[in-house]
Amino acid sequence: MADAAGTLTTNRAREYDAAARDAARRASVLDASDITARMRATVDALWTHLSPSGVSWVGFYLPARDQNGQLELILGPSRDKPACSPIGLHGVCGQSLVGRCVRIIRDVADLGGAYVACDPRDRSEIVIPVEQDGACVAVLDLDSHEVGRFGEADEVGLRQVLRAAGLSGAVRGE
């Protein structure tokens, strides 16, 4: 079993290395100040390299104020199916934004009402806050139909891809 886990980790590292190279290539032609374009490049690179291995959705959520002045999250660049927008702060993405912390959810069914279910087939999730100039400007969210799809290796890999896309100063804890 250790060999299978080691192979999985090695394969996952290769996927993130490829996604990082792809994100860097896509971002190299973009204006450094255009964070939305860099997010799009990141989403496209991640989707290309991770969807074959079980990622069912990837995207950014951005904080915004609703008409009553309440903070919520609105959908930013994403792939490859529709997603909920706006969403409140009670879910995993909101918790990551408010707490400025990575959230890795092995099985979303364990969250009960604290889970915002955009696709009922999704079973696991990872969310990483994206910071710029001391403010959390977005969260990067990946979902999978597989229980336990995400772990610490994914956090490391996603940070690598964000750096490659020119969003490195935006990720806390680096």
Side-chain angles (χ1 to χ4, degrees):
M1 190 65 140
D3 289 334
T7 299
L8 178 64
T9 302
T10 300
N11 289 343
R12 188 92 26 99
R14 287 185 188 132
E15 291 169 353
Y16 283 112
D17 287 344
R21 286 191 305 276
D22 191 6
R25 180 187 56 77
R26 292 170 190 258
S28 69
V29 297
L30 301 173
D31 180 335
S33 66
D34 189 345
I35 191 169
T36 302
R38 291 184 176 283
M39 287 179 182
R40 167 59 54 208
T42 301
V43 164
D44 289 343
L46 287 169
W47 183 253
T48 297
H49 297 280
L50 298 182
S51 64
S53 65
V55 171
S56 62
W57 187 86
V58 58
F60 286 92
Y61 277 99
L62 313 168
R65 299 275 174 197
D66 68 12
Q67 61 190 5
N68 298 319
Q70 297 296 312
L71 190 61
E72 63 186 3
L73 292 168
I74 59 169
L75 186 61
S78 65
R79 292 286 303 266
D80 205 55
K81 58 187 175 188
C84 303
S85 185
I87 59 175
L89 300 182
H90 69 283
V92 176
C93 290
Q95 293 168 9
S96 180
L97 177 86
V98 172
R100 294 186 182 188
C101 59
V102 174
R103 295 293 319 269
I104 299 172
I105 308 301
R106 182 179 174 349
D107 188 347
V108 298
D110 294 340
L111 298 176
Y115 181 64
V116 177
C118 297
D119 182 343
R121 297 173 297 170
D122 287 334
R123 295 300 309 269
S124 61
E125 181 173 20
I126 184 170
V127 183
I128 296 184
V130 178
E131 295 181 4
Q132 196 167 53
D133 298 326
C136 192
V137 298
V139 293
L140 173 61
D141 181 18
L142 283 78
D143 297 332
S144 175
H145 297 160
E146 302 169 28
V147 171
R149 166 60 176 82
F150 303 109
E152 289 180 24
D154 296 285
E155 177 183 350
V156 170
L158 290 168
R159 289 181 187 280
Q160 174 187 357
V161 173
L162 287 166
R163 277 192 305 274
L167 299 171
S168 64
V171 182
R172 185 175 189 197
E174 294 190 290

